[in-house]
């Protein structure tokens, strides 16, 4: 178990994600997740103008291709990536493929 601290909970969840990513079902589950995301974007995505996303690290699913396809299909759509400030609050900035990224400490 993760005990009582957020740090040990985070460590436990990261371990579980790494184990899942190495498992047999990971590819199928990732394909299913991307398919569901694409279904959402085809339907509800028409009413959205911006979507915040994350830059995948440590076995996270890469949603960028699906979200870039959505953003590039209409000129008024945009994507945003977070930047973690020193106080750990997030600021979001518009992002397009090829933009230079500045890593944060968090």
């Amino acid at each position: 178990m993760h005990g009582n601290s957020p740090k040990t909970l985070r460590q436990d969840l990261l371990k579980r994600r790494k184990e899942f990513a190495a498992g047999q079902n990971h590819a199928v589950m990732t394909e299913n997740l991307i398919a569901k995301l694409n279904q959402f974007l085809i339907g509800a995505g028409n009413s959205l103008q911006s979507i915040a996303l994350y830059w995948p690290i440590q076995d996270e699913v890469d949603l960028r291709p699906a979200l870039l396809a959505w953003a590039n299909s209409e000129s008024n759509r945009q994507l945003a990536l977070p930047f973690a400030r020193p106080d750990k609050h997030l600021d979001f900035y518009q992002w397009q493929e090829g933009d230079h990224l500045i890593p944060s400490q968090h």
Side-chain angles (χ1 to χ4, degrees):
M1 285 303 295
H2 55 78
N4 293 322
S5 81
K7 182 178 180 178
T8 56
L9 172 60
R10 178 170 170 71
Q11 290 170 342
D12 182 47
L13 292 173
L14 288 170
K15 179 183 172 204
R16 288 179 189 210
R17 184 174 65 202
K18 186 174 186 171
E19 290 168 353
F20 175 71
Q24 293 179 338
N25 294 331
H26 185 260
V28 171
M29 296 296 285
T30 297
E31 287 178 24
N32 288 341
L33 176 65
I34 299 296
K36 293 289 186 186
L37 174 60
N38 283 321
Q39 288 175 356
F40 170 80
L41 293 172
I42 288 168
N46 290 327
S47 65
L48 303 174
Q49 291 183 336
S50 62
I51 296 177
L53 69 150
Y54 58 86
W55 197 270
I57 60 170
Q58 300 176 1
D59 304 308
E60 292 173 336
V61 176
D62 190 355
L63 305 176
R64 293 173 298 172
L67 293 172
L68 281 166
W70 170 83
N72 292 332
S73 68
E74 297 282 338
S75 63
N76 66 331
R77 294 177 177 174
Q78 63 183 3
L79 299 173
L81 283 172
F83 181 83
R85 301 186 320 220
D87 64 4
K88 298 187 181 178
H89 285 90
L90 299 177
D91 291 326
F92 287 85
Y93 295 93
Q94 184 175 353
W95 172 74
Q96 296 175 348
E97 191 171 29
D99 284 352
H100 176 74
L101 300 179
I102 301 169
S104 71
Q105 298 297 316
H106 306 285

